[in-house]
Amino acid sequence: MNPAEAYILNQKEPFKSILLQLQVLVETTVPEVKLDYKYKLPFYYLHNNPFCYFNASLKKGYVDMCLWNSAHLTVHQDKLVTDGRKVMKSLRYSHMDEIDGEVVVELLEEAKSVNHKGFYKN
């Protein structure tokens, strides 16, 4: 088992289930992504460019799915959390029933379409 998969499988519930559901959504929506382990987090790359990553914060009680090119995203802005970050935006979940698969898929599809644009919006 690689470290990214171990990170997901070793989480306590409900974080483990949330991460597994997000993993399925990412890998079925954008099957060409590659799962790696960077910065001690499960990190997806698309065509060697950062795409998104997962961060389970037990202390704060949620899982973030951070979208690397979020500065370029236009859909579902009302669902994305900045939490004081200047550029990075994420979907944040504390419970499985909060995950709206349609929202996740639409954001992933747009993230894929802007993945070549880089981290910052010029």
Side-chain angles (χ1 to χ4, degrees):
M1 178 178 347
N2 72 42
E5 291 169 340
Y7 176 99
I8 293 168
L9 294 175
N10 291 330
Q11 296 296 321
K12 294 181 180 183
E13 291 296 348
F15 305 111
K16 178 180 174 180
S17 294
I18 293 169
L19 289 164
L20 287 169
Q21 179 64 29
L22 293 173
Q23 182 180 21
V24 167
L25 288 167
V26 170
E27 293 178 9
T28 56
T29 305
V30 189
E32 58 271 37
V33 293
K34 301 246 186 295
L35 180 60
D36 204 346
Y37 190 69
K38 297 287 183 177
Y39 315 108
K40 298 183 180 182
L41 298 170
F43 215 114
Y44 283 99
Y45 285 80
L46 178 62
H47 309 300
N48 296 321
N49 295 321
F51 183 69
C52 72
Y53 65 91
F54 301 150
N55 182 25
S57 178
L58 297 171
K59 189 175 185 180
K60 295 181 180 178
Y62 58 78
V63 170
D64 265 340
M65 183 179 88
C66 299
L67 299 158
W68 190 259
N69 296 68
S70 55
H72 304 282
L73 299 177
T74 60
V75 298
H76 300 296
Q77 290 294 304
D78 59 320
K79 307 279 193 250
L80 294 170
V81 176
T82 57
D83 200 20
R85 298 173 288 200
K86 291 182 181 181
V87 179
M88 188 66 65
K89 296 178 185 176
S90 63
L91 292 170
R92 182 168 289 171
Y93 303 107
S94 298
H95 305 285
M96 278 289 293
D97 60 0
E98 296 172 344
I99 300 173
D100 182 337
E102 188 174 314
V103 168
V104 175
V105 166
E106 288 173 8
L107 277 164
L108 289 169
E109 288 172 342
E110 186 176 28
K112 178 182 176 181
S113 74
V114 298
N115 193 59
H116 65 285
K117 292 188 175 184
F119 186 73
Y120 293 103
K121 191 170 188 174
N122 296 332

